[in-house]
Amino acid sequence: MRLGLIHTSATLVDVFAKLCAEHLPGIDTFNIVDDSLIKNTVAAGRLTPQTARRVAGHVGSAEAAGADHILVTCSSIGAAVEAAEPLTGVPVTRVDRPMADRAVALGRRIGVLATLSTTLEPTADLVRRRAAAAGKEIELTARVCEGAFEALMSGDAATHDARVAQALSELGGDVDVVVLAQASMARVAGTVSAAAPILASPPLAMEHLAGELLGERTRR
C-alpha cells in the first residue's frame, strides 16, 4: 500500500511524516510539494480555475506515481480536491473532511478559526455540507486570526502561535467545538486550555486513513 501526500507548504512534510509513522506503520509514503498553489490562491483571494486545474494535475501525478490513496493536506484548495476525485482511479481524501464530520458529531454550535480568509469559507462550507448530509442543524461561527499566517510565513512561529492561541481562547467560550481550518494551526491545539474541544485536521485525517489503508492491506 502506498500513500501519496500533496502539500502546499514544505512545513507540513515533517508534520505528516510523523503522523504517518504513528498511524500508518508499514505504509509507504511520498510527497508532492507546490507552495505556488497556496501563494496564488492567497494573491487572487480565491481558488482560481487555473489553480484548480493544477491541483487536479498533481492528484493525477500522484496516482501515476503509484499511490493507492491520495491525501491533500491544504484546506484552501479543498474544492479542487473534490473536483479531482471523480477523475482519479484511487481514493482521494481532503484533509479536513474527517475533522468536519467529527465536529458535526460533537456539537451544534461549531466555531471555525482560520489564519487565511481563503481557507475560512471553504472549511465553513464543508462543515455546513457535512452537517446537511448528516441531517443535523448547526450554528456556525467563523473567524479569521489576522496576521498569524503572515507571521508564520516570515519565520515568526512564536507570533503565529500566540495569536492563534488567543483567538482559540476567545472563540472556545462561545461554541461547543472549535475547528482549526488549516493544518498549519494544529501545532497550537495541544497548548491551549479552551472551554470547547479543539479539532485539528492532521491527526483526524490520519485516524481516518488508518482505518482505510490498514483495513485494505488486511483484506489483500
Side-chain angles (χ1 to χ4, degrees):
M1 294 295 294
R2 199 171 196 212
L3 173 66
L5 298 100
I6 300 173
H7 311 282
T8 59
S9 172
T11 61
L12 293 176
V13 173
D14 286 345
V15 171
F16 280 91
K18 292 176 182 176
L19 287 168
C20 285
E22 177 183 352
H23 293 279
L24 304 175
I27 299 295
D28 184 31
T29 66
F30 66 89
N31 300 280
I32 296 174
V33 182
D34 183 353
D35 62 358
S36 72
L37 297 173
I38 189 63
K39 288 179 179 178
N40 292 349
T41 299
V42 172
R46 63 188 180 93
L47 175 66
T48 65
Q50 294 87 346
T51 298
R53 284 195 293 269
R54 293 182 57 232
V55 171
H58 286 314
V59 170
S61 294
E63 181 183 9
D68 298 295
H69 200 119
I70 299 166
L71 173 67
V72 183
T73 66
C74 176
S75 300
S76 289
I77 58 174
V81 178
E82 293 183 8
E85 283 185 78
L87 307 176
T88 311
V90 298
V92 181
T93 295
R94 173 178 170 166
V95 70
D96 48 357
R97 188 183 299 150
M99 176 179 66
D101 289 339
R102 182 70 61 87
V104 169
L106 284 178
R108 183 184 67 82
R109 299 179 305 158
I110 301 174
V112 178
L113 183 66
T115 60
L116 282 171
S117 59
T118 51
T119 310
L120 187 67
E121 184 48 41
T123 302
D125 173 68
L126 176 65
V127 172
R128 293 188 189 101
R129 287 189 287 117
R130 300 307 287 179
K136 186 171 182 179
E137 291 187 8
I138 62 168
E139 178 183 320
L140 193 142
T141 302
R143 295 181 186 172
V144 175
C145 184
E146 299 289 351
F149 181 80
E150 292 77 8
L152 186 62
M153 291 300 99
S154 68
D156 187 359
T159 295
H160 167 274
D161 294 357
R163 292 189 178 185
V164 172
Q166 178 63 31
L168 280 173
S169 297
E170 295 170 357
L171 182 58
D174 299 330
V175 296
D176 300 320
V177 57
V178 179
V179 166
L180 298 180
Q182 286 141 263
S184 56
M185 304 168 72
R187 52 192 286 142
V188 187
T191 68
V192 178
S193 177
I198 300 170
L199 303 184
S201 60
L204 293 174
M206 283 296 116
E207 289 177 14
H208 170 76
L209 287 177
E212 295 286 319
L213 294 178
L214 298 181
E216 177 64 22
R217 187 172 65 182
T218 300
R219 288 189 292 272
R220 287 185 179 184

